[in-house]
Amino acid sequence: MPVIAVPMEISDMKYLQEKGALHGVSDYLTDDKLEQLKKTECYTFLNSEQEVIACAGVIEYWPGRVEAWMFFHPNCKKDFLGIYKVVKKFLKTRRFRRVEATVNKAFKNGHRWVKAFGFQLEAETLRKYGLFGEDSSLYALVEP
Protein backbone atom coordinates (compact mmCIF):
# COMPACT_ATOMS: atom_id res chain seq x y z
CA MET A 1 0.00 0.00 0.00
CA PRO A 2 1.39 3.42 -0.88
CA VAL A 3 1.69 6.45 1.37
CA ILE A 4 -1.67 8.06 2.07
CA ALA A 5 -2.75 11.35 3.62
CA VAL A 6 -5.58 11.56 6.14
CA PRO A 7 -6.88 14.49 8.18
CA MET A 8 -4.35 15.31 10.90
CA GLU A 9 -5.09 14.60 14.54
CA ILE A 10 -3.28 16.36 17.36
CA SER A 11 -2.11 12.96 18.59
CA ASP A 12 -0.21 12.54 15.29
CA MET A 13 1.81 15.70 15.92
CA LYS A 14 2.42 14.60 19.51
CA TYR A 15 3.67 11.24 18.20
CA LEU A 16 6.12 13.01 15.87
CA GLN A 17 7.13 15.22 18.78
CA GLU A 18 7.95 12.12 20.87
CA LYS A 19 10.07 10.80 17.99
CA GLY A 20 12.09 14.02 17.78
CA ALA A 21 10.58 15.36 14.55
CA LEU A 22 9.66 18.72 16.06
CA HIS A 23 13.12 19.38 17.40
CA GLY A 24 13.43 23.03 18.22
CA VAL A 25 9.74 23.90 18.11
CA SER A 26 8.31 21.41 20.60
CA ASP A 27 8.05 23.94 23.41
CA TYR A 28 6.28 26.40 21.12
CA LEU A 29 3.69 23.91 19.86
CA THR A 30 1.53 23.86 22.95
CA ASP A 31 -1.83 22.09 23.04
CA ASP A 32 -3.55 25.42 22.29
CA LYS A 33 -1.37 26.03 19.24
CA LEU A 34 -1.93 22.46 18.02
CA GLU A 35 -5.70 23.00 18.38
CA GLN A 36 -5.39 26.14 16.24
CA LEU A 37 -3.26 24.30 13.68
CA LYS A 38 -5.82 21.51 13.46
CA LYS A 39 -8.39 24.07 12.26
CA THR A 40 -6.27 24.71 9.14
CA GLU A 41 -5.86 22.41 6.14
CA CYS A 42 -3.50 19.78 7.52
CA TYR A 43 -2.79 16.10 7.00
CA THR A 44 -1.03 13.12 8.48
CA PHE A 45 0.94 10.87 6.15
CA LEU A 46 0.77 7.14 6.83
CA ASN A 47 3.01 4.48 5.29
CA SER A 48 2.00 0.97 4.28
CA GLU A 49 2.32 -0.16 7.92
CA GLN A 50 -0.09 2.64 8.94
CA GLU A 51 2.71 4.43 10.81
CA VAL A 52 2.69 8.21 11.10
CA ILE A 53 5.61 9.35 8.94
CA ALA A 54 4.86 13.06 8.52
CA CYS A 55 2.38 15.85 9.15
CA ALA A 56 1.94 18.75 6.77
CA GLY A 57 -0.46 21.41 5.71
CA VAL A 58 -1.06 24.91 4.52
CA ILE A 59 -2.08 27.97 6.45
CA GLU A 60 -4.16 30.47 4.50
CA TYR A 61 -3.23 34.13 4.83
CA TRP A 62 -6.00 35.16 2.45
CA PRO A 63 -7.75 33.47 -0.49
CA GLY A 64 -5.13 32.26 -2.94
CA ARG A 65 -2.10 32.74 -0.67
CA VAL A 66 -0.97 30.01 1.71
CA GLU A 67 2.16 28.98 3.57
CA ALA A 68 3.15 25.32 3.52
CA TRP A 69 4.67 23.49 6.48
CA MET A 70 5.83 19.93 7.12
CA PHE A 71 7.40 17.79 9.83
CA PHE A 72 8.92 14.39 9.06
CA HIS A 73 9.41 11.34 11.26
CA PRO A 74 13.21 10.97 11.68
CA ASN A 75 13.10 7.46 10.15
CA CYS A 76 10.92 8.08 7.10
CA LYS A 77 13.60 8.16 4.39
CA LYS A 78 12.23 5.02 2.74
CA ASP A 79 8.87 6.79 2.38
CA PHE A 80 10.10 10.05 0.81
CA LEU A 81 9.01 9.11 -2.70
CA GLY A 82 5.53 8.23 -1.47
CA ILE A 83 5.29 11.46 0.51
CA TYR A 84 6.53 13.39 -2.52
CA LYS A 85 3.82 11.87 -4.75
CA VAL A 86 1.03 12.76 -2.31
CA VAL A 87 2.27 16.34 -1.86
CA LYS A 88 2.78 16.80 -5.61
CA LYS A 89 -0.81 15.64 -6.27
CA PHE A 90 -2.10 17.98 -3.54
CA LEU A 91 -0.28 20.94 -5.07
CA LYS A 92 -1.69 20.09 -8.53
CA THR A 93 -5.29 19.57 -7.43
CA ARG A 94 -5.51 22.51 -5.04
CA ARG A 95 -5.32 25.74 -6.94
CA PHE A 96 -3.50 28.36 -4.96
CA ARG A 97 -2.17 31.49 -6.61
CA ARG A 98 0.80 31.43 -4.29
CA VAL A 99 2.25 28.82 -1.93
CA GLU A 100 5.09 30.03 0.29
CA ALA A 101 7.57 27.97 2.26
CA THR A 102 10.36 29.15 4.51
CA VAL A 103 13.36 26.93 5.12
CA ASN A 104 16.00 27.29 7.79
CA LYS A 105 18.97 28.65 5.87
CA ALA A 106 21.27 25.88 7.19
CA PHE A 107 18.84 23.01 6.39
CA LYS A 108 20.18 21.82 3.00
CA ASN A 109 17.71 18.94 2.66
CA GLY A 110 14.82 21.35 3.21
CA HIS A 111 16.04 23.51 0.33
CA ARG A 112 16.28 20.44 -1.93
CA TRP A 113 12.80 19.31 -0.87
CA VAL A 114 10.98 22.55 -1.78
CA LYS A 115 12.93 22.89 -5.04
CA ALA A 116 11.78 19.38 -6.01
CA PHE A 117 8.21 20.71 -6.11
CA GLY A 118 9.17 23.65 -8.29
CA PHE A 119 9.38 26.30 -5.58
CA GLN A 120 11.57 29.24 -6.57
CA LEU A 121 13.87 31.07 -4.20
CA GLU A 122 12.52 34.60 -3.66
CA ALA A 123 14.57 35.76 -0.70
CA GLU A 124 17.87 34.07 0.08
CA THR A 125 18.09 35.43 3.61
CA LEU A 126 15.32 36.44 5.95
CA ARG A 127 17.45 37.59 8.86
CA LYS A 128 16.45 36.37 12.31
CA TYR A 129 13.18 35.02 10.83
CA GLY A 130 13.01 31.67 12.65
CA LEU A 131 11.45 30.93 16.00
CA PHE A 132 14.83 31.16 17.71
CA GLY A 133 16.29 33.96 15.59
CA GLU A 134 17.85 31.76 12.95
CA ASP A 135 18.06 32.94 9.35
CA SER A 136 15.66 31.44 6.80
CA SER A 137 15.09 31.51 3.07
CA LEU A 138 11.75 32.21 1.39
CA TYR A 139 10.52 30.08 -1.49
CA ALA A 140 7.30 30.42 -3.47
CA LEU A 141 5.36 28.35 -5.94
CA VAL A 142 3.36 30.82 -8.00
CA GLU A 143 0.53 29.91 -10.34
CA PRO A 144 1.40 30.90 -13.92
Side-chain angles (χ1 to χ4, degrees):
M1 183 170 127
V3 170
I4 61 168
V6 298
M8 188 193 85
E9 297 297 332
I10 292 172
S11 59
D12 301 332
M13 285 290 279
K14 288 186 177 267
Y15 171 78
L16 289 179
Q17 186 174 25
E18 290 169 10
K19 299 299 180 186
L22 308 181
H23 179 72
V25 296
S26 285
D27 292 341
Y28 175 76
L29 288 176
T30 62
D31 289 345
D32 289 344
K33 291 219 176 12
L34 289 172
E35 284 288 343
Q36 291 173 350
L37 189 62
K38 177 128 175 45
K39 294 176 185 174
T40 67
E41 190 168 357
C42 52
Y43 302 92
T44 294
F45 292 75
L46 303 171
N47 65 14
S48 57
E49 289 84 37
Q50 297 297 295
E51 297 169 315
V52 174
I53 54 173
C55 288
V58 293
I59 298 171
E60 184 177 67
Y61 289 111
W62 50 74
R65 179 182 173 222
V66 298
E67 182 166 0
W69 61 271
M70 181 170 250
F71 292 103
F72 296 97
H73 187 290
N75 298 324
C76 74
K77 279 188 179 180
K78 67 180 175 32
D79 299 305
F80 270 6
L81 181 58
I83 295 169
Y84 173 83
K85 288 178 181 180
V86 173
V87 172
K88 189 73 169 174
K89 183 177 180 182
F90 172 80
L91 290 171
K92 277 187 172 184
T93 59
R94 294 282 303 172
R95 300 310 293 171
F96 304 110
R97 278 192 323 269
R98 178 181 177 83
V99 181
E100 297 175 4
T102 55
V103 178
N104 181 308
K105 190 147 168 102
F107 185 36
K108 291 180 182 176
N109 287 336
H111 293 272
R112 280 199 295 264
W113 182 252
V114 295
K115 288 176 184 177
F117 293 105
F119 282 76
Q120 299 294 310
L121 180 65
E122 286 196 337
E124 187 172 333
T125 304
L126 300 174
R127 295 184 62 223
K128 308 249 184 236
Y129 185 85
L131 181 60
F132 303 102
E134 67 276 14
D135 292 346
S136 296
S137 297
L138 173 66
Y139 288 86
L141 182 62
V142 180
E143 187 178 73

